[in-house]
Amino acid sequence: MANEAHPCPCDIGHRIEYGGLGREVPVEHIKAYLTKSPVDTGKAVIVVQDIFGWQLPNTRYMADMIAGNGYTTMVPDFFVGQEPWHPSGHWSTFPEWLKTRDARKIDKEVDAVLKYLKQHSHAKRIGVVGFCWGGVAVHHMMMKYPEFRAGVSSYAGPDILEKTSRRIHLLLQICFNIKVLKVSWLTQKLKENCKVEYQIKTFSGQTHGFVHRKREDCSPEDKPYIDEARRSLLEWLNKYV
């Protein structure tokens, strides 16, 4: 999602066949996909869906990958039962569809998820990862909730940093063809306002959704970028959560 004012067509890419290692659980008024870490580390990561919803197998695959590295992971239904975007949908209707799914109006759901992770998973250190729509949510959540020690926002678009904070450990993964001017603006914005470590990683030649909506075996040229992005994601979480 390029930004919420001028959305770009988010190609669903490769929808993988994946059953998942976790289970669906009720979390107050919503459902969520929960995967427990093989080892109880007291750490948890909330994985925020893209426009294709919390049940997209690709997103659950990413959650399970993170869980395998020592984090209880949860993919909540931040659309609260509303239908996700369908790949066959006409993009002229996308702005209207997005109005009822504001990535910055999810506080009730975040409160419920944090409560669940603290009470049922005994999470003491929490991070957040989001893709596309979820990348916008990541920045909102880190700005508002001190519980989040680190965040990774993948291809959310540069406009998420209209407001930023001195305290957020944020990794931005940018892959679509964003103007050099915008990257410079992002860097300057973070330099001025963020007094803890941040990082902007660009992946030229990669399409929107490449971190979680491209198969690792799709082509020899793409695999190194996919691997690097996923490795960077885990390294950032390991460093700060």
Side-chain angles (χ1 to χ4, degrees):
M1 190 165 64
N3 59 60
E4 296 190 28
H6 302 286
C8 71
C10 301
D11 186 351
I12 196 170
H14 300 99
R15 181 187 176 99
I16 65 173
E17 296 297 325
Y18 182 71
L21 302 176
R23 60 190 177 92
E24 293 185 4
V25 297
V27 180
E28 295 188 8
H29 62 294
I30 61 174
K31 293 181 180 180
Y33 175 76
L34 175 71
T35 306
K36 292 187 176 181
S37 167
V39 180
D40 185 5
T41 61
K43 298 180 180 181
V45 172
I46 298 172
V47 180
V48 190
Q49 70 214 43
D50 61 13
I51 63 173
F52 298 107
W54 72 294
Q55 293 179 312
L56 184 71
N58 306 54
T59 305
R60 295 187 174 195
Y61 174 82
M62 294 298 295
D64 289 351
M65 181 196 75
I66 295 169
N69 285 269
Y71 305 89
T72 292
T73 58
M74 178 170 280
V75 186
D77 177 14
F78 280 112
F79 290 167
V80 197
Q82 295 185 97
E83 288 295 316
W85 181 256
H86 195 275
S88 64
H90 196 283
W91 284 100
S92 64
T93 66
F94 183 73
E96 192 64 29
W97 175 89
L98 195 61
K99 286 180 181 178
T100 58
R101 296 160 180 83
D102 190 333
R104 296 179 178 90
K105 294 182 179 179
I106 55 173
D107 293 356
K108 182 178 179 181
E109 291 70 50
V110 175
D111 290 340
V113 170
L114 286 174
K115 180 180 177 182
Y116 184 100
L117 290 173
K118 292 174 182 177
Q119 292 185 351
H120 296 276
S121 300
H122 310 293
K124 296 178 175 61
R125 300 166 71 90
I126 304 173
V128 58
V129 173
F131 307 100
C132 179
W133 184 94
V136 179
V138 164
H139 187 256
H140 167 76
M141 292 160 70
M142 291 194 67
M143 286 286 292
K144 181 159 185 177
Y145 292 88
E147 288 94 334
F148 294 111
R149 302 178 66 89
V152 180
S153 173
S154 294
Y155 29 85
D159 294 342
I160 64 169
L161 290 183
E162 288 296 341
K163 294 180 180 179
T164 192
S165 167
R166 289 174 175 268
R167 67 167 187 82
I168 61 174
H169 290 289
L170 182 65
L171 168 63
L172 294 176
Q173 294 183 326
I174 300 171
C175 56
F176 44 89
N177 291 326
I178 181 173
K179 293 181 180 179
V180 174
L181 181 62
K182 277 291 189 180
V183 175
S184 299
W185 179 86
L186 278 169
T187 304
Q188 186 62 31
K189 192 79 171 177
L190 285 168
K191 184 178 180 180
E192 291 173 355
N193 297 287
C194 193
K195 302 306 179 185
V196 295
E197 187 174 356
Y198 60 86
Q199 188 175 7
I200 299 175
K201 289 184 71 72
T202 57
F203 297 85
S204 60
Q206 292 302 297
T207 58
H208 186 94
F210 83 104
V211 181
H212 76 305
R213 295 204 305 256
K214 253 188 188 178
R215 299 192 315 270
E216 295 92 325
D217 62 350
C218 57
S219 74
E221 294 78 14
D222 289 328
K223 189 178 189 306
Y225 294 103
I226 298 170
D227 290 345
E228 181 187 351
R230 293 178 180 179
R231 183 173 60 252
S232 296
L233 182 156
L234 291 171
E235 288 174 350
W236 194 260
L237 294 175
N238 291 341
K239 187 171 185 178
Y240 291 113
V241 176

